Amino acid sequence: TDAVGLSMSMSEMEDPEVKGKKKRGRPGKQASNKKPRKSPMDKAVGVARGRGKANGVAQHNGDGGDPVTLFEVVKLGKSAMQSVVDEWIESYKQDRDLALLDLINFFIQCSGCRNALHQIYSMFFHQQDSGDYPLTMPGPMWKKFRYNFCEFISVLIRQCQYSIIYDEYMMDTVISLLTGLSDSQVRAFRHTSTLAAMKLMTALVNVALNLSIHQDNTQRQYEAERNKIAGKRANEKLELLLQKRKELQENQDEIENMMNSIFKGIFVHRYRDAIAEIRAICIEEIGVWMKMYSDAFLNDSYLKYVGWTLHDRQGEVRLKCLKALQNLYTNRELFPKLELFTNRFKDRIVSMTLDKEYDVAVEAIRLVTLILQGSEDALSNEDCENVYHLVYSAHRPVAVAAGEFLHRKLFSRHDPQAEEALAKRRGRSSPNGNLIRMLVLFFLESELHEHAAYLVDSLWESSQELLKDWECMAELLLEEPVQGEEVLSDRQESALIELMVCTIRQAAEAHPPVGRGTGKRVLTAKERKTQIDDKNKLTEHFIMALPMLLSKYQADSEKVANLLQIPQFFDLDVYSAGRMEKHLDALLKQIRLVVEKHIEMDVLEACSKTYSILCSEEYTIMNRVDIARSQLIDEMTDRFTHSVEELLQEAEEADDDDIYNVLSTLKRLTAFHNAHDLTRWDLFGNCYRLLKAGIEQGSMPEQIAVQALQCSHYSILWQLVKITEGAPSKYYNDYGDIIKETLSKTRQTDKIQCAKTLILSLQQLFNELLQDQGPNLDRTSSHVSGIKELARRFALTFGLDQIKTREAVATLHKDGIEFAFKYQNPRGPEFPPINLAFLEVLSEFSSKLIRQDKKTVHSYLEKFMSESMSERREDVWLPLISYRNSLLTGGDEDHMSVTSGSSSKTGSVRSKKGRPPIHKKRIEEESSVEGSWMLRNDTLQTPGALQTPQLTSTVLRENRPAEHMPDPDSEPGSENDFVHNPQMQMSWLGQQKMEEVNRKDRTGLNYIKSRSNQGVRQTVRGLMEDDAEPIFEDVMMSSRGQLEDMNEEFEDTMVIDLPPSRNRRERAELRPDFFDSAAMIEDESGFSMPMF
């Protein structure tokens, strides 16, 4: 169908007879005065000539290069579009065939064809898509091209509206071309032609509107002239007006025919195109038509397409529908024409306020707001309630749009004059009292009291005048009940105070609450000025009102806790600048009364924080507040000391009053100690006495013990702050007894978690250093040296017994390696990872690894290294080099010593009588642990004294006994028992060693297969073929014996890391370890020899 359509359109352009048959408009008009049409061959020649012309005239680019086409002129956009169109019109008047073919070439090139006649057949007839085309290409130039493309079509029709569009040639040809292209299966043709057709239709609608206006004016002139008396009537003018009206009507009919062709031939098919962008173009333009020429298009015949598309599966299209409708509902004069549509699609529009696409939901709420403005009765209560709750949405644009709807519905002043008169009669300075009551009721009915800040933020842009009316809020809270007016209930007062505090915070901080934005943005100069003005306004008002509010509600802990948040938003300079110290004294007096009256922690913490803010050193009122605070602490400390003495004297005979006196005073002091340095009052001494008495006697109430411990904790922290501030470096030069004891207890509780905590603290210091100095660290700086020194001291805490701390140290290295390679360098793989310098810190712990563990850690390190890393020798790679060297030092010698120790235990010729040396005994102990750690089980032996490790293939395991023979030399509760116990968790070190053993076993088996006797070869046969990949069966076997056999030294829920494939990079590393017993056998003479 695409080929046929294009063939028809092309034949229409070339064959005058076919063109005449499809002629629109006036049937009696003859085309005898038109220029003779050219043959197809002449047109082809014209196209060839036209390739060097733009607008039918040869043009050159700015630097004297090759001529450019109309497409390139529009793409560059250097010329005014009207001048480009005017030149094309001139060329059309000279040779309309050549100019028209230039225009056709323009549309084809805009579809992505560089050579129109060549590519149109490959794209259109063979349905070959050209990939990217101008409308989809990225970049600012192509975005500008889209604008220029649309403007060109609009200007073209505007400039041709008085003559050329009625010549029954240009418009018929263009519409036929675009109709054929829009039916193509090639997206480039369909997209470009649809956009062109829709913009063409929009331009024609504008022409039709102008014709309609001219017709109305002509008709009025005609009526006015005809109604004149016979003597004054000008018959010639009447004939001219009648002729003009007839001509306008004919032109109107012609334009309507063109619009019908575009609408029925293109829009009706493309508004449901498979491509969402094409559907969006259609809906966007039909919205323009309905708004521009509402008399012709704003009816149900066209509105139904928008209504149906509200259900489109793509948010982009739904968004265009909503914006098109917004343009219609903005004009209240159009509401009568939209009434039927509103009733039919209102439910769908309301449901779209919950659309999964936030942009769509925002526009749906705005549309519902416009419907509400146009008609109060259009929305039911249920419809409104569906929008109300969106003010609590975490997505701020949705919440703000819902806030606008809520403001229009509930908080608009319907009769301002009556409300102002009522406020004067009640003695109020503001007429917003009823609206504030309405806000409180809405907040309470929503039952989301912890989201008051969200509600305020949602209404902030639409209801600022109401939310900043703090005078009215304070009046409602402080005024006495007036006869005939319902007073605020206790619950309403609490809600109003909470909302008032939220409005104060929003005005003072000038940013949304937490969870309603990506962070604090930089305020504009206007916003900054508004913030300063609001802060001054609220400070001046609440400096006087807050003491009165505290006095009225001092017995209510919830209200007082909220009210005491207000001073943190004050501009405290106003106290001294405005000579308002008496109001400061009133505030301090009320805070003191609140402290004496309450023991709730939230109230006490609010009081403590308020004192802390008022005592800021940059304000002149600091001394005044500090004196009041010190007096309050003195009194509470004296009271606390006396009550502690009485409690300790009474001991077990203490009554509830004694306990309450201590607990209440201690709570107050603890709350203040959190924000204030009270070390000079020596609260630690009495707290220590209470804790000691509780430990010795066991009769101390739990609440007192908790508060005493908390207060002691704050005392220690404040003393540490003083020590830290006086220290020359941010890293401690030595540790006090408390820190040492804490580390010791932590290590005794869980060695591995203690090690992970130590490495985490070093990582945090390293991250802080990166933030301060950037990725290019100076490794010779004092800061880096300080971290290394701290790591060295941490390493000393592991002690000398490396066996006990073996797993902990290995875990520490594992976490350190992962941290060092966590982030790749954004500049490329040839640069070191960002945290690679941390390996220099990690090197401080290498000495705490036993020698056989160094190889395991080194193997784990190589998993993170690429081949190029091991070859780098630049300074930036020195941390990696030094860390690798620290792991490689002494590794091979240790294998020899362990093997020797094992051999001595078997009674070989090297064994000696008597007590072995101390260092040799140490090696034997390590070797015994190594036996369990490497999952060694001597069930398969080669001839001789040395034993071969167990074969780990699952094929062989099926034939092995499930029993595990315990080591007679192991002691209960030893490291051996920990490893052998199936209920113990498999450690990371064990997993790494298991992988290493598996690799060694495979190497040993391959060697045995090729070198041992026939019996051994038959035993090993079937485990692995020469070069085949190892086959690993499902480890979750149902047989209990098989399961216990597989996990005889580990928990049966462990994660088994299968060894790497030998055809990968590690294949070169799978060489036999000639110091491991798996790769050694004894010759016939009985001496142990490595096998080569």
Side-chain angles (χ1 to χ4, degrees):
T1 58
D2 299 324
V4 173
L6 184 62
S7 300
M8 290 177 63
S9 61
M10 295 295 291
S11 63
E12 291 169 12
M13 288 184 283
E14 295 171 353
D15 192 346
E17 295 182 1
V18 176
K19 171 67 179 64
K21 293 177 183 178
K22 292 183 64 85
K23 180 172 62 177
R24 296 191 192 91
R26 294 152 290 191
K29 180 177 279 190
Q30 301 295 328
S32 59
N33 58 343
K34 297 180 182 177
K35 294 183 178 180
R37 310 276 177 96
K38 295 185 179 181
S39 66
M41 181 60 66
D42 295 334
K43 290 186 177 182
V45 175
V47 172
R49 293 200 312 266
R51 287 174 188 165
K53 298 184 179 182
N55 309 326
V57 181
Q59 294 186 359
H60 297 269
N61 54 21
D63 50 10
D66 296 331
V68 293
T69 63
L70 180 61
F71 166 75
E72 291 172 335
V73 171
V74 173
K75 181 183 74 172
L76 295 175
K78 295 181 179 180
S79 304
M81 205 56 63
Q82 184 165 340
S83 63
V84 174
V85 171
D86 289 343
E87 291 179 6
W88 182 88
I89 292 174
E90 289 299 323
S91 68
Y92 184 83
K93 292 178 179 178
Q94 296 173 9
D95 189 340
R96 66 179 185 178
D97 289 330
L98 182 60
L100 189 57
L101 286 174
D102 195 17
L103 184 62
I104 294 172
N105 193 24
F106 166 74
F107 285 117
I108 300 300
Q109 286 183 306
C110 289
S111 300
C113 297
R114 298 179 182 86
N115 185 326
L117 289 180
H118 176 267
Q119 280 194 305
I120 191 171
Y121 287 99
S122 62
M123 289 177 61
F124 199 95
F125 290 101
H126 299 289
Q127 306 299 335
Q128 295 178 359
D129 208 323
S130 62
D132 286 339
Y133 50 97
L135 294 182
T136 60
M137 288 182 180
M141 182 185 73
W142 295 109
K143 289 183 179 179
K144 185 180 179 182
F145 167 78
R146 182 189 180 103
Y147 172 80
N148 292 340
F149 177 73
C150 298
E151 186 184 11
F152 172 79
I153 296 173
S154 177
V155 175
L156 177 65
I157 299 302
R158 187 180 68 218
Q159 295 299 103
C160 297
Q161 65 177 320
Y162 299 110
S163 60
I164 296 179
I165 62 174
Y166 305 112
D167 67 358
E168 303 177 3
Y169 185 60
M170 184 198 82
M171 290 303 296
D172 284 4
T173 303
V174 171
I175 292 174
S176 298
L177 173 69
L178 296 179
T179 302
L181 293 176
S182 69
D183 197 36
S184 171
Q185 294 185 9
V186 179
R187 172 175 175 166
F189 282 142
R190 206 166 67 249
H191 186 185
T192 307
S193 61
T194 300
L195 177 61
M198 295 301 103
K199 293 298 180 181
L200 186 67
M201 177 78 168
T202 301
L204 291 175
V205 170
N206 190 43
V207 173
L209 178 62
N210 291 334
L211 287 174
S212 177
I213 294 173
H214 289 317
Q215 278 185 288
D216 293 340
N217 293 336
T218 304
Q219 182 65 27
R220 282 196 300 271
Q221 294 176 4
Y222 177 79
E223 294 292 338
E225 190 67 27
R226 191 180 63 176
N227 292 333
K228 291 181 180 179
I229 59 177
K232 296 183 178 180
R233 183 187 306 161
N235 293 328
E236 295 181 359
K237 186 176 181 180
L238 283 175
E239 291 179 1
L240 290 175
L241 289 174
L242 192 60
Q243 182 65 28
K244 183 179 180 181
R245 186 181 68 176
K246 182 180 179 181
E247 184 178 353
L248 289 173
Q249 183 61 47
E250 291 176 349
N251 290 342
Q252 183 80 1
D253 294 340
E254 185 73 13
I255 295 296
E256 288 179 2
N257 289 333
M258 297 178 192
M259 293 191 298
N260 284 329
S261 297
I262 296 175
F263 188 83
K264 294 178 181 179
I266 299 178
F267 177 89
V268 171
H269 302 288
R270 299 280 69 81
Y271 92 97
R272 52 185 179 180
D273 194 277
I275 304 300
E277 189 172 356
I278 296 177
R279 301 197 301 271
I281 290 172
C282 295
I283 296 301
E284 182 178 16
E285 293 305 314
I286 196 175
V288 175
W289 309 336
M290 289 187 289
K291 183 180 180 181
M292 182 187 299
Y293 197 179
S294 59
D295 291 340
F297 288 94
L298 190 55
N299 53 61
D300 298 332
S301 299
Y302 296 97
L303 280 169
K304 65 182 180 183
Y305 295 104
V306 181
W308 292 340
T309 318
L310 287 172
H311 298 271
D312 195 281
R313 61 183 178 273
Q314 293 295 328
E316 174 189 1
V317 184
R318 298 195 300 272
L319 190 66
K320 293 294 184 182
C321 291
L322 293 171
K323 289 188 175 181
L325 292 173
Q326 287 176 12
N327 291 331
L328 301 177
Y329 280 96
T330 303
N331 188 352
R332 294 200 175 189
E333 297 179 356
L334 302 179
F335 263 80
K337 296 183 178 181
L338 292 166
E339 184 176 357
L340 184 60
F341 176 85
T342 304
N343 295 332
R344 171 65 178 82
F345 293 99
K346 179 197 64 175
D347 292 342
R348 172 56 185 164
I349 295 172
V350 173
S351 69
M352 291 176 73
T353 59
L354 298 175
D355 197 278
K356 64 179 181 180
E357 303 285 345
Y358 284 127
D359 293 342
V360 177
V362 170
E363 299 304 328
I365 297 171
R366 290 174 179 169
L367 179 57
V368 173
T369 305
L370 291 173
I371 295 174
L372 176 69
Q373 288 178 315
S375 175
E376 290 283 344
D377 301 330
L379 299 175
S380 64
N381 292 334
E382 184 179 357
D383 295 332
C384 296
E385 289 173 0
N386 289 333
V387 182
Y388 288 162
H389 74 276
L390 294 176
V391 296
Y392 297 104
S393 171
H395 190 264
R396 192 168 190 269
V398 171
V400 170
E404 174 69 20
F405 177 85
L406 184 63
H407 171 77
R408 298 287 182 183
K409 180 66 177 177
L410 298 181
F411 304 137
S412 297
R413 295 169 61 184
H414 301 287
D415 192 356
Q417 295 181 350
E419 293 173 0
E420 290 177 2
L422 178 63
K424 289 182 180 180
R425 289 199 303 269
R426 298 290 171 83
R428 295 174 185 163
S429 58
S430 172
N432 290 327
N434 289 335
L435 296 180
I436 292 176
R437 285 174 176 269
M438 184 73 71
L439 176 64
V440 171
L441 291 175
F442 174 82
F443 177 54
L444 292 175
E445 289 178 1
S446 62
E447 298 180 354
L448 292 170
H449 300 171
E450 67 274 14
H451 294 83
Y454 275 20
L455 174 60
V456 169
D457 181 55
S458 301
L459 292 168
W460 194 251
E461 295 183 8
S462 56
S463 307
Q464 276 200 31
E465 181 183 356
L466 175 66
L467 297 177
K468 291 181 182 179
D469 196 349
W470 297 301
E471 293 182 6
C472 184
M473 296 180 186
E475 287 175 350
L476 288 174
L477 292 169
L478 293 172
E479 71 181 4
E480 297 298 329
V482 179
Q483 185 176 4
E485 184 179 28
E486 184 180 357
V487 297
L488 294 175
S489 65
D490 179 72
R491 189 161 170 259
Q492 291 173 344
E493 288 177 335
S494 298
L496 177 54
I497 291 174
E498 186 177 359
L499 290 169
M500 181 176 68
V501 173
C502 291
T503 61
I504 292 171
R505 186 206 63 79
Q506 186 95 358
E509 296 182 354
H511 66 78
V514 176
R516 273 276 182 90
T518 57
K520 295 183 180 180
R521 62 180 182 86
V522 179
L523 301 179
T524 63
K526 182 179 180 180
E527 291 172 336
R528 180 61 180 165
K529 182 179 183 303
T530 302
Q531 180 190 23
I532 295 173
D533 294 342
D534 289 341
K535 200 167 186 178
N536 289 332
K537 177 184 175 182
L538 69 90
T539 302
E540 292 174 357
H541 174 70
F542 283 103
I543 275 180
M544 295 180 288
L546 183 57
M548 293 185 287
L549 291 170
L550 289 174
S551 176
K552 180 176 180 179
Y553 296 109
Q554 63 179 255
D556 192 317
S557 59
E558 180 184 0
K559 296 183 179 68
V560 167
N562 279 323
L563 289 171
L564 285 173
Q565 296 181 35
I566 296 177
Q568 63 182 295
F569 305 111
F570 281 177
D571 180 5
L572 296 178
D573 288 328
V574 175
Y575 275 114
S576 54
R579 298 184 178 275
M580 294 184 174
E581 288 82 0
K582 64 177 182 179
H583 297 293
L584 176 62
D585 294 337
L587 176 61
L588 295 174
K589 178 182 177 182
Q590 293 300 324
I591 296 176
R592 182 189 182 106
L593 293 175
V594 170
V595 173
E596 294 174 350
K597 191 178 290 289
H598 293 275
I599 60 171
E600 295 86 355
M601 289 306 297
D602 55 345
V603 177
L604 296 175
E605 289 175 355
C607 294
S608 174
K609 185 175 182 180
T610 302
Y611 271 113
S612 177
I613 293 168
L614 296 176
C615 284
S616 299
E617 295 182 357
E618 64 264 27
Y619 300 111
T620 57
I621 62 174
M622 189 268 291
N623 293 330
R624 200 183 197 100
V625 179
D626 184 57
I627 293 173
R629 180 187 60 179
S630 299
Q631 291 175 351
L632 177 61
I633 300 299
D634 287 338
E635 292 183 7
M636 290 194 297
T637 304
D638 292 341
R639 198 180 308 150
F640 176 59
T641 303
H642 293 309
S643 59
V644 169
E645 293 291 343
E646 293 178 358
L647 180 66
L648 294 178
Q649 289 177 2
E650 296 290 338
E652 296 181 357
E653 299 178 359
D655 56 12
D656 293 341
D657 291 339
D658 296 331
I659 296 175
Y660 177 79
N661 290 335
V662 173
L663 181 61
S664 60
T665 311
L666 183 55
K667 274 189 171 183
R668 296 184 179 102
L669 289 171
T670 302
F672 272 78
H673 211 349
N674 185 14
H676 304 266
D677 184 6
L678 306 183
T679 52
R680 63 190 177 101
W681 279 275
D682 192 22
L683 299 176
F684 183 84
N686 284 325
C687 292
Y688 176 77
R689 292 174 62 195
L690 290 173
L691 293 172
K692 183 178 180 181
I695 295 173
E696 294 176 351
Q697 301 174 8
S699 59
M700 187 63 62
E702 181 181 353
Q703 292 184 350
I704 293 180
V706 171
Q707 293 297 322
L709 190 61
Q710 188 73 35
C711 189
S712 302
H713 171 67
Y714 291 146
S715 298
I716 295 171
L717 289 180
W718 281 110
Q719 292 178 11
L720 288 175
V721 169
K722 290 183 178 180
I723 295 173
T724 305
E725 291 176 350
S729 174
K730 63 185 294 184
Y731 312 111
Y732 295 110
N733 293 324
D734 63 346
Y735 289 88
D737 293 337
I738 296 176
I739 300 299
K740 289 182 179 179
E741 184 66 19
T742 301
L743 285 174
S744 176
K745 293 294 184 183
T746 305
R747 189 166 55 251
Q748 292 176 14
T749 303
D750 192 328
K751 296 183 181 64
I752 294 179
Q753 290 300 324
C754 178
K756 293 173 76 70
T757 303
L758 295 181
I759 197 66
L760 179 61
S761 64
L762 293 172
Q763 292 171 6
Q764 290 175 345
L765 289 175
F766 187 82
N767 283 331
E768 292 176 4
L769 202 57
L770 282 179
Q771 293 177 359
D772 294 339
Q773 298 186 5
N776 299 322
L777 288 179
D778 181 8
R779 292 185 288 108
T780 63
S781 66
S782 60
H783 297 289
V784 176
S785 301
I787 299 179
K788 292 175 62 178
E789 175 64 18
L790 181 60
R792 187 185 69 81
R793 298 197 177 205
F794 278 164
L796 294 176
T797 63
F798 287 99
L800 300 177
D801 193 344
Q802 292 177 310
I803 296 296
K804 290 184 179 180
T805 60
R806 179 180 185 182
E807 190 68 44
V809 174
T811 302
L812 182 145
H813 278 270
K814 169 184 173 291
D815 291 353
I817 292 171
E818 292 174 352
F819 174 77
F821 291 91
K822 185 176 183 180
Y823 302 110
Q824 296 300 319
N825 199 308
R827 293 187 292 175
E830 66 273 11
F831 295 93
I834 296 176
N835 297 339
L836 189 72
F838 187 76
L839 293 178
E840 198 166 1
V841 178
L842 193 60
S843 301
E844 299 292 336
F845 296 93
S846 296
S847 61
K848 294 301 177 181
L849 286 168
I850 64 175
R851 292 179 177 177
Q852 52 263 52
D853 289 351
K854 288 184 178 180
K855 186 174 181 181
T856 302
V857 174
H858 182 263
S859 298
Y860 189 71
L861 173 66
E862 288 186 332
K863 293 180 180 179
F864 294 86
M865 294 173 52
S866 61
E867 295 181 0
S868 60
M869 288 184 183
S870 58
E871 301 173 357
R872 306 303 291 265
R873 291 295 182 268
E874 295 87 349
D875 290 344
V876 291
W877 295 93
L878 286 179
L880 176 60
I881 298 172
S882 63
Y883 182 61
R884 289 187 69 197
N885 291 338
S886 69
L887 296 177
L888 295 173
T889 303
D892 293 339
E893 294 84 349
D894 183 68
H895 280 288
M896 177 64 78
S897 65
V898 172
T899 305
S900 302
S902 301
S903 301
S904 65
K905 293 181 70 175
T906 62
S908 66
V909 293
R910 289 191 295 268
S911 63
K912 299 180 180 179
K913 297 181 180 179
R915 182 182 182 90
I918 296 177
H919 72 278
K920 192 162 186 175
K921 181 180 180 181
R922 179 73 171 186
I923 294 173
E924 292 175 3
E925 292 176 357
E926 294 181 3
S927 178
S928 65
V929 178
E930 175 74 7
S932 63
W933 185 46
M934 295 178 62
L935 312 181
R936 187 166 297 169
N937 188 359
D938 302 329
T939 59
L940 180 64
Q941 301 181 0
T942 56
L946 290 180
Q947 299 174 343
T948 305
Q950 64 177 1
L951 299 175
T952 57
S953 171
T954 57
V955 177
L956 185 62
R957 286 186 177 185
E958 292 178 357
N959 300 321
R960 287 172 46 198
E963 294 81 4
H964 172 71
M965 300 300 293
D967 186 356
D969 296 332
S970 64
E971 298 178 0
S974 66
E975 179 96 353
N976 245 358
D977 290 340
F978 174 82
V979 178
H980 284 297
N981 189 346
Q983 296 180 358
M984 294 294 185
Q985 176 93 18
M986 179 180 183
S987 64
W988 171 81
L989 202 55
Q991 293 176 358
Q992 301 302 312
K993 208 64 180 177
M994 185 177 183
E995 293 181 5
E996 183 179 355
V997 170
N998 288 338
R999 291 197 299 269
K1000 290 180 179 179
D1001 289 346
R1002 289 197 301 274
T1003 305
L1005 289 175
N1006 288 336
Y1007 177 78
I1008 292 171
K1009 183 175 181 179
S1010 61
R1011 297 295 302 269
S1012 63
N1013 56 40
Q1014 184 67 23
V1016 176
R1017 285 200 298 270
Q1018 291 176 355
T1019 304
V1020 181
R1021 183 178 301 159
L1023 297 181
M1024 290 185 183
E1025 297 299 331
D1026 288 338
D1027 291 325
E1029 289 277 339
I1031 301 175
F1032 296 94
E1033 297 181 358
D1034 187 3
V1035 298
M1036 299 305 295
M1037 295 178 290
S1038 60
S1039 171
R1040 180 179 179 184
Q1042 292 173 336
L1043 187 62
E1044 291 177 352
D1045 177 62
M1046 174 173 286
N1047 303 323
E1048 51 191 0
E1049 294 165 343
F1050 297 96
E1051 185 182 38
D1052 53 353
T1053 58
M1054 66 181 180
V1055 177
I1056 296 182
D1057 293 330
L1058 298 179
S1061 174
R1062 292 182 58 191
N1063 61 357
R1064 290 163 54 189
R1065 186 175 64 87
E1066 292 88 355
R1067 182 168 184 169
E1069 301 175 4
L1070 299 180
R1071 298 188 296 270
D1073 186 351
F1074 299 120
F1075 296 100
D1076 189 271
S1077 57
M1080 299 179 65
I1081 63 172
E1082 293 188 355
D1083 61 4
E1084 296 179 356
S1085 61
F1087 290 97
S1088 176
M1089 296 178 58
M1091 297 165 52
F1092 294 96

